[in-house]
Amino acid sequence: MPIDPQNALLTVQAGLAQLSTLIVSYSFSAIGAVILLVVGYIIAGLAERSIFAGLGHIHGFDATLRHFFSKIVRYAILILVTIMVLGQFGVQTASIIAAIGAIGLAIGLALQGTLQNIAAGIMLLALRPFRIGESVEVGSIAGSIEEIGLFATKLRSADGVYILAPNSTLWNQPVRNFSRNGVRRSDIALSIGSWNDIDRAQKTLLAIAAAERRVKREPAPIAFVATLGESTVSIALRYWTSSADFFATQTDLTKRAKQEFDSEGISIPQPPPEAPQPEARRQ
């Protein structure tokens, strides 16, 4: 059957018109998508900087949390812009949102322990049970805080050992902070023979505390009888000092108390001599 040239021409013209319509339509969609991407990228950057600066005006707000929350806002805006751009080309965004939700749920289940550490890290940074440089004890973990991260906290033990503790471990247990209050109470006790003058021993300990500049005057130091033995009396000195001087003051006062007791003739009982060991039987 011969082809009618006029009908063929009309078909070609209709196809070209439809193609030009599609090109124009998708061109506008592409231009709109580019504009959305550029504007969304700019808005995401502005929002990130605004959140970071705004949180910086909150007294004591941690810099790590500022970075964390500002990045979350940035990426949330970028994800929203990406979904809007796909919608410009006729993509069903509802299915994309459902897929993102499913992927997020799967990642959350796979990283449950990690997310717990992140949540605990945010709480530690927000509530501040300890700060960098403070000496703490949490369960079996003890040391000086060196860095607080979103996943784990770095500590340095008293004997110089490096400790990396998960934040969830530190958050779920009571925290003993030895530095937070700035002052600490200390007791030193020495055993003396029961035949010694107890009042004289107490006055000697109080004189030692009064001569030490690191001992706080308020609350005032006190000396008292701590325990009684068969032939011994334990005399204790209780005083307050700054957290930074706690150990040095304790060791110095203990040494000075022994020296003053010796000079005052206050005797510290000696342990009983060991019983002689029986000679081994001759075979």
Side-chain angles (χ1 to χ4, degrees):
M1 182 178 180
I3 300 175
D4 187 356
Q6 188 174 1
N7 291 334
L9 181 60
L10 292 174
T11 303
V12 172
Q13 289 177 346
L16 291 175
Q18 187 176 5
L19 179 61
S20 63
T21 302
L22 289 175
I23 291 174
V24 171
S25 177
Y26 276 101
S27 296
F28 281 114
S29 297
I31 293 172
V34 172
I35 294 174
L36 276 175
L37 284 174
V38 173
V39 173
Y41 184 82
I42 294 173
I43 292 176
L46 291 174
E48 179 184 8
R49 288 191 290 271
S50 299
I51 294 295
F52 185 82
L55 294 177
H57 294 141
I58 301 175
H59 178 70
F61 202 90
D62 191 83
T64 304
L65 282 182
R66 291 170 62 193
H67 284 289
F68 180 74
F69 287 124
S70 59
K71 289 294 184 184
I72 285 181
V73 172
R74 173 185 175 86
Y75 291 131
I77 293 175
L78 291 177
I79 291 173
L80 180 61
V81 169
T82 302
I83 294 174
M84 293 173 63
V85 167
L86 293 175
Q88 289 288 317
F89 295 98
V91 178
Q92 296 295 325
T93 56
S95 59
I96 296 176
I97 295 174
I100 292 175
I103 293 172
L105 178 61
I107 294 175
L109 292 175
L111 302 176
Q112 185 176 3
T114 303
L115 294 177
Q116 286 179 353
N117 287 325
I118 293 176
I122 293 174
M123 297 303 296
L124 290 174
L125 291 169
L127 298 181
R128 292 292 194 172
F130 45 73
R131 296 185 176 92
I132 294 176
E134 291 183 337
S135 180
V136 300
E137 180 181 347
V138 186
S140 60
I141 302 171
S144 178
I145 303 295
E146 292 192 336
E147 181 182 339
I148 305 172
L150 282 177
F151 298 95
T153 297
K154 296 178 183 179
L155 301 93
R156 181 184 180 90
S157 67
D159 54 352
V161 176
Y162 170 85
I163 301 174
L164 183 65
N167 286 334
S168 58
T169 302
L170 301 178
W171 176 249
N172 292 324
Q173 298 186 73
V175 176
R176 298 184 65 197
N177 192 324
F178 301 108
S179 307
R180 176 60 55 87
N181 292 334
V183 293
R184 289 183 63 183
R185 193 196 77 189
S186 179
D187 293 359
I188 60 173
L190 287 87
S191 294
I192 62 175
S194 57
W195 55 87
N196 290 281
D197 188 340
I198 297 177
D199 291 334
R200 186 178 178 185
Q202 290 179 331
K203 290 179 181 179
T204 301
L205 290 179
L206 290 175
I208 294 171
E212 175 56 60
R213 62 176 180 80
R214 293 170 294 185
V215 173
K216 301 292 182 182
R217 299 299 174 250
E218 291 293 335
I222 61 172
F224 57 94
V225 176
T227 59
L228 295 173
E230 293 182 359
S231 59
T232 61
V233 178
S234 178
I235 305 295
L237 172 66
R238 176 170 293 172
Y239 62 92
W240 290 79
T241 185
S242 66
S243 300
D245 294 332
F246 177 80
F247 291 107
T249 306
Q250 188 179 64
T251 54
D252 290 347
L253 289 184
T254 303
K255 177 182 178 181
R256 202 169 304 157
K258 173 62 170 65
Q259 292 172 340
E260 290 295 325
F261 277 9
D262 289 344
S263 63
E264 293 288 335
I266 302 173
S267 59
I268 295 177
Q270 300 293 327
E274 294 184 0
Q277 297 294 328
E279 295 183 1
R281 291 184 179 180
R282 295 181 179 179
Q283 300 295 333

